[in-house]
């Protein structure tokens, strides 16, 4: 019995400074710090055997520093703070006994008794309140996230069914297109020569020249419109940034001229209005006076929206439709109704005379003959074939998109391994900051929009998730990169890095411009809220 007491005595004795012998040792490692019957102890790396009295004697004997867990003697050792009432933590041994109270050691065990107050109870209570608030957000967000995952599964099923349905439609449409192609080829061989002759028509050639002229005008108009926008941006920047105290009349005249042309109030009047009642004067453009326009002429909106459709006109079909129209008999033509008034005995003679007369008129180009009918039939066949082919291509495109969508839903580099981000595809959120609204359309584009009117700027389009993390890992989905935005004046293209965290709402919480034209958004989303029971990293904390 005495021998066992002597064996256990070293575990309970205290060091010369009044501290426990095995201070700084993690509870799970206490069993490794047991002396032998001869009162010796082996370094944890097995490299050396030392006297048990040399453990925590403030002298480093073991190369791995394992003999000094409670002192600062070994530079490669760690000190375990028990922190009863809070969370235990390791600190570097270099901080032990330095007279400073470490926040990670709220029990003060890294210093001599009486140096540091044991504040673990207060710190632990504050931490648990904060952690409980975080867990509440996490649990609520996780419930919302589960609906996102359910949506992803439904969307996958919908896209799979759609892909199968489209495949069936494609098979039917391919057979239809093949038949229409055969018919169009037969009719085209009968009318090609006649059609080439008609294309030499002055009317047809004039139409082609008009088309080229319209295309050229559209190209030049786009150049001028782009240049006008660029000049407008430059003048807007000059207007907002110039200093009127310098009395630069050239700049003032340019600013005044731009304000009059753009229908804007003078910038000094806007700035004065900001201080009257603490509210900014909203800057609006004066309505432009509409110039009188001939009712038969196109408006600017019609030119923007309908000119492309006009330029895509099938002029060959138009030519044939025109000929069909002018050669068609009028409804009151007595020539083709005369048979109603003739005796039956006269009809054979009349029909023979009519055929000869119509052939003569056809030679003169007065009426439409079978050649015209063949040409028209060929045009109709080609048009029907073109429409059917376009429909077939549309079906194939939709089918390919459906299959691609199925693949992306649960792909780690797209919408997450559980599809939790699919629900948020192109969801737009924004934050007002200063004179701008900063918009983020997830997986699409980030924008900067002036609150008082002006040009919107693209800050970048979605490029990738976190390039510094492994696809599928939690860190991978905490960052998004948006690149190739509008180029800054004398600077790079705008870009955005979005830092994401768990939250009960999809929201942008802050915006910073870290470098010129390089922005950082912080945002929250339920898609990042995993159930606490799945969060292994918080297991020990939740047990407190």
């Amino acid at each position: 019995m005495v021998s066992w007491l002597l064996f256990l005595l070293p575990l309970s004795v205290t060091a010369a400074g009044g501290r426990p012998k095995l201070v700084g040792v993690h509870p799970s490692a206490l069993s490794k710090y047991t002396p032998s019957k001869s009162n010796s102890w082996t370094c944890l790396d097995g490299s050396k055997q030392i006297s048990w009295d040399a453990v925590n004697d403030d002298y480093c004997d073991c190369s791995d520093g394992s003999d000094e867990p409670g002192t600062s003697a070994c530079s490669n050792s760690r000190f375990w703070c028990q922190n009863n009432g809070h969370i235990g933590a390791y600190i570097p041994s270099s901080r032990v006994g330095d007279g400073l109270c470490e926040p990670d050691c709220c029990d003060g065990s890294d210093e001599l008794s009486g140096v540091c107050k044991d504040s673990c109870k207060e710190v632990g209570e504050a931490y648990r309140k904060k952690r409980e608030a975080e867990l509440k957000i996490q649990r609520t967000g996780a419930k919302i996230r589960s609906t996102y995952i359910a949506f992803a599964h439904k969307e996958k099923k919908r896209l799979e069914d759609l892909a199968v349905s489209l495949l069936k439609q494609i098979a039917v449409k391919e057979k239809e297109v093949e038949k229409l192609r055969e018919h169009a080829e037969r009719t085209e061989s009968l009318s090609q020569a006649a059609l080439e002759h008609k294309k030499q028509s002055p009317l047809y050639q004039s139409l082609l020249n008009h088309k080229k002229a319209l295309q050229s005008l559209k190209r030049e108009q786009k150049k001028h419109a782009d240049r006008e926008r660029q000049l407008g941006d430059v003048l807007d920047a000059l207007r907002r940034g110039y200093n009127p105290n310098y009395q630069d009349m050239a700049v003032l005249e340019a600013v005044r001229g731009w304000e009059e042309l753009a229908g804007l109030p003078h910038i000094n009047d806007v700035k004065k209005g900001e201080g009257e009642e603490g509210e900014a004067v909203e800057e609006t453009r004066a309505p432009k006076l509409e110039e009188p326009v001939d009712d038969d002429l196109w408006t600017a909106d019609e030119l923007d929206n309908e000119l492309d459709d006009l330029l895509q006109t099938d002029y060959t079909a138009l030519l044939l439709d025109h000929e069909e129209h002018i050669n068609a008999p009028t409804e009151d033509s007595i020539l083709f109704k005369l048979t109603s008034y003739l005796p039956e005995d006269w009809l054979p003679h009349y029909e023979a005379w009519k055929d000869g007369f119509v052939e003569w008129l056809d030679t003169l180009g007065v009426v439409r003959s079978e050649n015209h009918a063949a040409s028209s039939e060929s045009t109709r066949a080609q048009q029907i074939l073109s429409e059917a082919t376009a429909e077939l291509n549309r079906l194939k495109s939709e089918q390919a998109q459906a299959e691609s969508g199925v693949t992306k839903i649960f792909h780690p580099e797209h919408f997450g391994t559980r599809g939790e981000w699919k629900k948020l595809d192109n969801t737009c959120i924004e934050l007002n900051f200063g004179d701008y609204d900063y918009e983020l359309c997830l997986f699409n584009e980030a924008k900067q929009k002036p609150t008082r009117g002006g040009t919107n700027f693209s800050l970048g389009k979605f490029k990738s998730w976190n390039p510094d993390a492994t696809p599928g890992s939690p860190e991978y989905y905490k960052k998004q990169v948006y690149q190739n935005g509008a180029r800054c004046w004398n600077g790079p293209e705008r870009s955005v890095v979005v830092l994401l965290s768990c939250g009960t709402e999809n929201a942008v919480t802050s915006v910073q411009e870290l470098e010129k034209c390089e922005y950082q958004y912080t945002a929250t989303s339920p898609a990042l809220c995993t159930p606490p029971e799945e969060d292994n990293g918080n297991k020990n904390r939740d047990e407190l």
Side-chain angles (χ1 to χ4, degrees):
M1 184 69 177
V2 176
S3 61
W4 278 103
L5 290 174
L6 292 174
F7 173 73
L8 294 174
L9 181 62
L11 296 178
S12 58
V13 298
T14 58
R19 306 174 70 202
K21 174 71 171 176
L22 294 182
V23 66
V25 179
H26 193 282
S28 64
L30 281 174
S31 60
K32 299 177 182 179
Y33 285 84
T34 303
S36 67
K37 292 182 179 180
S38 61
N39 202 36
S40 63
W41 182 79
T42 303
C43 301
L44 295 185
D45 62 358
S47 61
K48 190 176 182 181
Q49 191 175 66
I50 62 176
S51 170
W52 173 247
D53 295 333
V55 175
N56 270 345
D57 67 345
D58 205 19
Y59 182 82
C60 192
D61 296 291
C62 297
S63 59
D64 63 352
S66 58
D67 64 311
E68 297 296 321
T71 74
S72 60
C74 298
S75 61
N76 57 343
S77 184
R78 294 190 303 170
F79 181 92
W80 172 253
C81 305
Q82 189 68 30
N83 293 341
N84 291 326
H86 187 39
I87 304 169
Y90 278 110
I91 64 170
S93 291
S94 59
R95 299 181 186 177
V96 175
D98 61 357
L100 300 176
C101 299
E102 300 294 333
D104 291 335
C105 255
C106 58
D107 60 0
S109 60
D110 61 315
E111 302 297 330
L112 294 176
S113 178
V115 174
C116 296
K117 176 185 175 183
D118 185 345
S119 60
C120 287
K121 182 179 179 180
E122 296 82 359
V123 172
E125 287 179 357
Y127 169 79
R128 282 186 286 275
K129 288 182 180 179
K130 178 183 177 183
R131 180 59 185 155
E132 186 55 38
E134 293 174 348
L135 287 174
K136 184 177 180 180
I137 292 174
Q138 188 174 355
R139 292 187 186 101
T140 303
K143 291 179 181 179
I144 300 173
R145 178 177 179 266
S146 67
T147 66
Y148 292 175
I149 294 173
F151 172 85
H153 285 280
K154 291 180 180 178
E155 184 66 4
K156 180 175 182 288
K157 180 65 167 59
R158 185 189 73 82
L159 290 175
E160 287 174 339
D161 293 344
L162 177 61
V164 172
S165 174
L166 288 170
L167 278 176
K168 295 178 180 178
Q169 295 180 50
I170 288 170
V172 173
K173 184 61 69 173
E174 284 177 337
K175 293 180 180 178
E176 178 185 340
V177 168
E178 186 59 30
K179 291 180 179 179
L180 290 172
R181 182 175 289 107
E182 292 175 358
H183 176 67
E185 289 173 353
R186 287 197 301 269
T187 56
E188 183 179 6
S189 63
L190 298 174
S191 60
Q192 190 62 39
L195 180 61
E196 291 302 322
H197 175 72
K198 296 178 189 302
K199 285 185 177 180
Q200 303 306 315
S201 160
L203 174 62
Y204 183 77
Q205 295 298 319
S206 177
L207 286 174
L208 294 182
N209 288 333
H210 278 73
K211 179 181 180 180
K212 291 179 181 178
L214 285 174
Q215 289 174 326
S216 301
L217 286 171
K218 181 183 177 182
R219 180 191 62 201
E220 295 302 316
Q221 187 269 344
K222 185 177 184 304
K223 288 182 182 178
H224 289 300
D226 290 342
R227 186 168 182 79
E228 180 184 347
R229 280 193 293 269
Q230 294 173 0
L231 290 173
D233 292 342
V234 173
L235 290 171
D236 273 333
L238 177 64
R239 173 174 173 264
R240 294 176 183 276
Y242 88 104
N243 188 340
N245 296 325
Y246 289 156
Q247 300 296 323
D248 190 329
M249 298 309 295
V251 174
L252 180 61
E253 184 177 351
V255 170
R256 291 285 185 149
W258 169 239
E259 290 172 339
E260 181 178 355
L261 180 63
L264 294 168
H266 186 45
I267 189 65
N268 285 347
D269 296 337
V270 174
K271 292 179 178 178
K272 290 176 183 177
E274 292 178 350
E276 292 178 358
E277 295 182 0
E279 296 182 356
V281 176
E282 184 176 357
E283 183 179 344
T284 58
R285 296 178 185 267
K288 294 183 179 180
L289 297 176
E290 296 290 339
E291 297 181 1
V293 178
D294 190 323
D295 291 340
D296 293 334
L297 299 180
W298 284 19
T299 64
D301 289 340
E302 288 174 325
L303 285 172
D304 286 339
N305 301 324
E306 300 181 24
L307 183 57
D308 284 339
D309 293 337
L310 181 62
L311 291 173
Q312 293 174 4
T313 300
D314 185 344
Y315 290 101
T316 301
L318 184 63
L319 173 64
L320 296 175
D321 288 344
H322 170 71
E323 288 207 359
E324 183 178 356
H325 172 73
I326 63 175
N327 289 320
T330 59
E331 293 183 0
D332 57 351
S333 173
I334 194 173
L335 176 63
F336 297 100
K337 293 183 179 181
L338 189 59
T339 54
S340 301
Y341 306 97
L342 293 177
E344 291 185 4
D345 294 342
W346 290 18
L347 288 178
H349 302 286
Y350 169 72
E351 291 293 343
W353 171 82
K354 186 188 73 172
D355 289 343
F357 183 62
V358 170
E359 184 177 351
W360 177 67
L361 291 177
D362 178 52
T363 303
L364 296 177
V366 177
V367 298
R368 185 182 68 171
S369 67
E370 293 181 359
N371 289 335
H372 294 88
S375 176
S376 179
E377 176 66 19
S378 175
T379 301
R380 283 194 294 272
Q382 289 291 346
Q383 183 175 358
I384 294 172
L385 173 62
S386 177
E387 292 173 354
T389 302
E391 176 67 9
L392 175 61
N393 291 335
R394 183 188 67 79
L395 291 173
K396 288 182 176 179
S397 176
E398 288 187 6
Q399 199 273 338
Q401 289 178 2
E403 288 189 341
S404 175
V406 170
T407 303
K408 288 181 178 180
I409 287 180
F410 296 105
H411 195 288
E413 294 183 16
H414 291 283
F415 299 119
T417 55
R418 303 191 67 183
E420 62 270 30
W421 292 95
K422 175 59 180 176
K423 177 76 172 180
L424 303 179
D425 187 12
N426 205 31
T427 294
C428 296
I429 52 181
E430 64 178 41
L431 175 71
N432 177 263
F433 185 72
D435 294 331
Y436 298 96
D437 287 328
Y438 290 89
E439 182 182 67
L440 175 64
C441 293
L442 293 166
F443 304 101
N444 189 355
E445 188 174 15
K447 293 181 180 179
Q448 181 191 62
K449 304 187 294 186
T451 56
R452 299 183 180 182
T455 303
N456 294 345
F457 290 103
S458 171
L459 301 185
K461 294 186 177 181
F462 178 72
K463 177 70 174 178
S464 69
W465 289 101
N466 187 355
D468 301 320
T470 302
S473 67
E475 290 300 319
Y476 186 69
Y477 302 108
K478 292 182 180 180
K479 180 191 289 187
Q480 286 189 338
V481 179
Y482 292 74
Q483 294 180 345
N484 304 121
R487 185 173 293 279
C488 283
W489 180 260
N490 286 336
E493 291 180 337
R494 291 172 171 84
S495 63
V496 175
V497 170
V498 182
L499 303 181
L500 295 154
S501 61
C502 167
T504 57
E505 295 182 349
N506 295 294
V508 177
T509 55
S510 71
V511 175
Q512 298 181 69
E513 187 173 5
L514 302 179
E515 300 288 343
K516 183 176 182 180
C517 302
E518 294 180 6
Y519 298 84
Q520 177 180 284
Y521 287 11
T522 59
T524 60
S525 174
L528 279 171
C529 299
T530 56
E533 56 270 20
E534 293 182 11
D535 190 354
N536 294 327
N538 291 328
K539 182 177 180 181
N540 293 333
R541 296 182 180 182
D542 295 341
E543 292 175 350
L544 290 176

Coordinates of all heavy atoms in Angstrom, one line a residue, residues 221-266:
Q221 N -24.8 54.6 -87.0 CA -25.6 55.1 -85.8 C -25.1 54.6 -84.5 O -25.0 55.2 -83.5 CB -27.1 54.8 -86.1 CG -28.0 55.5 -85.1 CD -28.3 54.6 -83.9 OE1 -28.0 53.4 -83.9 NE2 -28.8 55.2 -82.8
K222 N -24.8 53.3 -84.5 CA -24.3 52.6 -83.3 C -23.0 53.2 -82.8 O -22.7 53.5 -81.7 CB -24.1 51.1 -83.5 CG -23.8 50.4 -82.2 CD -23.7 48.9 -82.5 CE -23.4 48.1 -81.2 NZ -22.2 48.6 -80.5
K223 N -22.1 53.5 -83.8 CA -20.8 54.1 -83.5 C -21.0 55.5 -82.8 O -20.4 55.8 -81.8 CB -19.9 54.3 -84.7 CG -19.4 53.0 -85.3 CD -18.5 53.4 -86.5 CE -17.9 52.1 -87.2 NZ -17.2 52.4 -88.4
H224 N -21.9 56.3 -83.4 CA -22.2 57.6 -82.8 C -22.8 57.5 -81.5 O -22.5 58.3 -80.6 CB -23.0 58.4 -83.8 CG -22.3 58.8 -85.1 ND1 -21.2 59.6 -85.0 CD2 -22.5 58.6 -86.4 CE1 -20.7 59.8 -86.3 NE2 -21.5 59.2 -87.1
A225 N -23.8 56.6 -81.3 CA -24.4 56.4 -80.0 C -23.4 56.0 -78.9 O -23.5 56.5 -77.8 CB -25.6 55.4 -80.1
D226 N -22.5 55.1 -79.2 CA -21.5 54.7 -78.3 C -20.6 55.8 -77.9 O -20.3 56.0 -76.7 CB -20.7 53.5 -78.8 CG -21.5 52.2 -78.9 OD1 -22.5 52.2 -78.3 OD2 -21.0 51.3 -79.7
R227 N -20.2 56.6 -78.9 CA -19.3 57.7 -78.7 C -20.1 58.8 -77.8 O -19.5 59.4 -76.9 CB -18.9 58.3 -80.0 CG -17.8 59.4 -79.8 CD -17.2 59.8 -81.1 NE -16.1 60.8 -80.9 CZ -14.9 60.6 -80.5 NH1 -14.6 59.4 -80.1 NH2 -14.0 61.6 -80.4
E228 N -21.4 59.0 -78.1 CA -22.1 60.0 -77.3 C -22.2 59.6 -75.9 O -22.1 60.4 -75.0 CB -23.6 60.1 -77.9 CG -24.4 61.1 -77.2 CD -25.9 61.1 -77.7 OE1 -26.1 60.5 -78.8 OE2 -26.7 61.6 -77.0
R229 N -22.4 58.3 -75.6 CA -22.5 57.8 -74.2 C -21.1 58.0 -73.5 O -21.1 58.4 -72.3 CB -22.8 56.3 -74.2 CG -24.3 56.0 -74.3 CD -24.7 54.6 -74.0 NE -24.1 53.7 -74.9 CZ -24.7 53.2 -76.0 NH1 -25.9 53.7 -76.3 NH2 -24.1 52.4 -76.8
Q230 N -20.0 57.7 -74.2 CA -18.7 57.9 -73.6 C -18.4 59.4 -73.3 O -17.9 59.7 -72.3 CB -17.6 57.4 -74.6 CG -17.7 55.9 -74.8 CD -16.7 55.4 -75.8 OE1 -16.0 56.2 -76.4 NE2 -16.7 54.1 -76.1
L231 N -18.8 60.3 -74.3 CA -18.6 61.7 -74.0 C -19.5 62.2 -72.9 O -19.1 63.0 -72.1 CB -19.0 62.5 -75.3 CG -18.0 62.3 -76.5 CD1 -18.5 63.0 -77.7 CD2 -16.6 62.9 -76.1
G232 N -20.7 61.6 -72.8 CA -21.6 62.0 -71.7 C -21.0 61.6 -70.4 O -21.1 62.3 -69.4
D233 N -20.4 60.4 -70.3 CA -19.7 60.0 -69.0 C -18.6 60.9 -68.7 O -18.4 61.3 -67.5 CB -19.2 58.6 -69.2 CG -20.3 57.5 -69.3 OD1 -21.4 57.9 -69.0 OD2 -20.0 56.4 -69.8
V234 N -17.8 61.3 -69.7 CA -16.7 62.3 -69.4 C -17.2 63.6 -68.9 O -16.7 64.2 -67.9 CB -15.9 62.5 -70.7 CG1 -14.8 63.6 -70.5 CG2 -15.2 61.2 -71.1
L235 N -18.3 64.1 -69.5 CA -18.8 65.4 -69.1 C -19.5 65.3 -67.8 O -19.5 66.3 -67.0 CB -19.8 65.9 -70.2 CG -19.2 66.3 -71.5 CD1 -20.2 66.6 -72.6 CD2 -18.3 67.6 -71.3
D236 N -20.2 64.2 -67.5 CA -20.8 64.0 -66.1 C -19.7 64.0 -65.1 O -19.8 64.6 -64.0 CB -21.5 62.6 -66.1 CG -22.9 62.7 -66.5 OD1 -23.5 63.8 -66.4 OD2 -23.5 61.7 -67.0
A237 N -18.5 63.3 -65.3 CA -17.4 63.3 -64.4 C -16.9 64.7 -64.2 O -16.5 65.2 -63.1 CB -16.3 62.4 -64.8
L238 N -16.7 65.5 -65.3 CA -16.2 66.9 -65.2 C -17.2 67.7 -64.5 O -16.8 68.5 -63.6 CB -16.0 67.4 -66.7 CG -15.6 68.9 -66.8 CD1 -14.2 69.0 -66.2 CD2 -15.6 69.3 -68.2
R239 N -18.5 67.6 -64.7 CA -19.5 68.4 -64.0 C -19.5 68.2 -62.5 O -19.7 69.1 -61.8 CB -20.9 68.0 -64.6 CG -22.1 68.7 -63.9 CD -23.3 68.4 -64.7 NE -24.5 68.8 -64.0 CZ -25.2 68.1 -63.2 NH1 -24.9 66.8 -63.0 NH2 -26.3 68.5 -62.6
R240 N -19.4 66.9 -62.1 CA -19.4 66.6 -60.7 C -18.1 66.9 -60.0 O -18.1 67.1 -58.8 CB -19.8 65.1 -60.5 CG -21.2 64.8 -60.9 CD -21.5 63.3 -60.8 NE -22.8 62.9 -61.3 CZ -23.9 63.0 -60.6 NH1 -23.9 63.4 -59.3 NH2 -25.1 62.7 -61.1
G241 N -17.0 66.9 -60.7 CA -15.7 66.9 -60.0 C -15.0 68.3 -60.2 O -14.0 68.5 -59.5
Y242 N -15.4 69.2 -61.1 CA -14.6 70.4 -61.2 C -14.8 71.4 -60.0 O -15.8 71.3 -59.3 CB -15.0 71.1 -62.5 CG -16.2 72.1 -62.5 CD1 -15.9 73.5 -62.5 CD2 -17.5 71.6 -62.4 CE1 -17.0 74.4 -62.4 CE2 -18.5 72.5 -62.3 CZ -18.3 73.9 -62.3 OH -19.3 74.7 -62.2
N243 N -13.9 72.2 -59.8 CA -13.9 73.2 -58.7 C -14.2 74.6 -59.2 O -13.4 75.2 -59.9 CB -12.5 73.2 -58.0 CG -12.6 74.0 -56.7 OD1 -13.5 74.9 -56.5 ND2 -11.6 73.8 -55.8
P244 N -15.5 75.1 -59.0 CA -15.9 76.4 -59.5 C -15.0 77.5 -59.0 O -15.0 78.6 -59.5 CB -17.3 76.5 -59.1 CG -17.5 75.6 -57.9 CD -16.5 74.5 -58.1
N245 N -14.3 77.3 -57.9 CA -13.5 78.4 -57.3 C -12.3 78.8 -58.1 O -11.7 79.8 -57.9 CB -13.1 78.0 -55.9 CG -14.2 77.8 -54.9 OD1 -15.2 78.5 -55.0 ND2 -14.1 76.8 -54.0
Y246 N -11.9 77.9 -59.0 CA -10.8 78.2 -59.9 C -11.1 79.2 -61.0 O -10.2 79.7 -61.7 CB -10.2 76.9 -60.5 CG -9.5 76.0 -59.5 CD1 -9.4 74.7 -59.8 CD2 -9.0 76.5 -58.3 CE1 -8.8 73.8 -58.8 CE2 -8.4 75.7 -57.4 CZ -8.3 74.4 -57.7 OH -7.6 73.5 -56.8
Q247 N -12.4 79.4 -61.2 CA -12.8 80.4 -62.2 C -12.3 80.1 -63.6 O -11.9 81.0 -64.4 CB -12.4 81.8 -61.8 CG -12.9 82.3 -60.5 CD -14.5 82.4 -60.5 OE1 -15.0 82.8 -61.5 NE2 -15.1 82.1 -59.4
D248 N -12.3 78.8 -63.9 CA -11.9 78.4 -65.3 C -13.1 78.5 -66.1 O -14.0 77.6 -66.1 CB -11.3 76.9 -65.2 CG -10.7 76.6 -66.5 OD1 -11.1 77.1 -67.6 OD2 -9.7 75.7 -66.5
M249 N -13.2 79.6 -66.9 CA -14.4 79.8 -67.7 C -14.6 78.8 -68.8 O -15.7 78.5 -69.2 CB -14.3 81.2 -68.3 CG -14.2 82.4 -67.3 SD -15.5 82.2 -66.0 CE -16.9 82.6 -67.1
A250 N -13.5 78.2 -69.3 CA -13.7 77.2 -70.4 C -14.4 76.0 -69.8 O -15.3 75.4 -70.4 CB -12.3 76.9 -71.0
V251 N -13.9 75.6 -68.6 CA -14.6 74.4 -68.0 C -16.0 74.7 -67.6 O -16.9 73.9 -67.8 CB -13.8 74.0 -66.7 CG1 -14.5 72.9 -66.0 CG2 -12.4 73.5 -67.1
L252 N -16.2 76.0 -67.0 CA -17.6 76.4 -66.6 C -18.5 76.4 -67.9 O -19.6 75.9 -67.8 CB -17.5 77.7 -66.0 CG -18.9 78.3 -65.5 CD1 -19.5 77.4 -64.5 CD2 -18.7 79.7 -65.0
E253 N -18.0 76.9 -69.0 CA -18.8 77.0 -70.2 C -19.2 75.6 -70.7 O -20.3 75.3 -71.1 CB -18.1 77.8 -71.3 CG -18.9 78.0 -72.5 CD -18.2 78.8 -73.6 OE1 -17.1 79.4 -73.2 OE2 -18.7 78.9 -74.7
A254 N -18.2 74.7 -70.6 CA -18.4 73.3 -71.1 C -19.5 72.6 -70.2 O -20.4 71.9 -70.6 CB -17.1 72.5 -71.0
V255 N -19.4 72.8 -68.8 CA -20.3 72.3 -67.9 C -21.7 72.8 -68.1 O -22.7 72.1 -68.2 CB -19.9 72.5 -66.4 CG1 -21.0 72.1 -65.5 CG2 -18.6 71.7 -66.2
R256 N -21.8 74.1 -68.3 CA -23.1 74.8 -68.5 C -23.8 74.3 -69.8 O -25.0 74.0 -69.9 CB -23.0 76.3 -68.5 CG -22.6 76.9 -67.2 CD -23.8 77.0 -66.3 NE -23.5 77.7 -65.0 CZ -24.3 78.4 -64.3 NH1 -25.6 78.5 -64.8 NH2 -24.0 79.0 -63.2
G257 N -22.9 74.1 -70.8 CA -23.4 73.7 -72.1 C -24.0 72.2 -72.0 O -25.0 71.9 -72.5
W258 N -23.2 71.4 -71.3 CA -23.7 70.0 -71.1 C -25.0 69.9 -70.3 O -25.9 69.2 -70.6 CB -22.6 69.2 -70.4 CG -23.0 67.8 -70.0 CD1 -23.0 67.4 -68.7 CD2 -23.5 66.8 -70.8 NE1 -23.5 66.1 -68.7 CE2 -23.8 65.7 -69.9 CE3 -23.8 66.7 -72.1 CZ2 -24.3 64.5 -70.4 CZ3 -24.3 65.5 -72.6 CH2 -24.6 64.4 -71.7
E259 N -25.1 70.7 -69.2 CA -26.3 70.7 -68.4 C -27.5 71.2 -69.2 O -28.6 70.6 -69.1 CB -26.1 71.6 -67.2 CG -25.1 71.1 -66.2 CD -24.8 72.1 -65.1 OE1 -25.0 73.3 -65.3 OE2 -24.3 71.7 -64.0
E260 N -27.3 72.2 -70.1 CA -28.4 72.6 -70.9 C -28.8 71.5 -71.9 O -30.0 71.3 -72.1 CB -28.0 73.9 -71.6 CG -29.2 74.5 -72.5 CD -28.8 75.8 -73.2 OE1 -27.6 76.3 -72.9 OE2 -29.5 76.3 -74.0
L261 N -27.8 70.9 -72.5 CA -28.1 69.9 -73.6 C -28.7 68.7 -72.9 O -29.6 68.1 -73.5 CB -26.8 69.5 -74.2 CG -26.9 68.4 -75.3 CD1 -27.7 68.9 -76.5 CD2 -25.5 68.0 -75.8
A262 N -28.2 68.2 -71.7 CA -28.8 67.0 -71.1 C -30.0 67.3 -70.2 O -30.6 66.3 -69.7 CB -27.7 66.4 -70.2
G263 N -30.4 68.6 -70.1 CA -31.6 68.9 -69.3 C -31.3 68.7 -67.8 O -32.2 68.3 -67.1
L264 N -30.1 69.0 -67.3 CA -29.8 68.8 -65.9 C -29.7 70.2 -65.2 O -29.4 71.2 -65.8 CB -28.4 68.2 -65.8 CG -28.3 66.7 -66.3 CD1 -26.8 66.3 -66.4 CD2 -29.1 65.8 -65.4
P265 N -30.0 70.2 -63.9 CA -29.9 71.5 -63.1 C -28.4 71.8 -63.0 O -27.6 70.9 -63.0 CB -30.6 71.2 -61.8 CG -30.4 69.7 -61.6 CD -30.5 69.1 -63.0
H266 N -28.1 73.1 -62.7 CA -26.7 73.4 -62.5 C -26.2 72.7 -61.2 O -26.9 72.7 -60.2 CB -26.5 74.9 -62.4 CG -25.1 75.3 -62.3 ND1 -24.1 74.8 -63.1 CD2 -24.5 76.2 -61.5 CE1 -22.9 75.4 -62.8 NE2 -23.1 76.2 -61.8

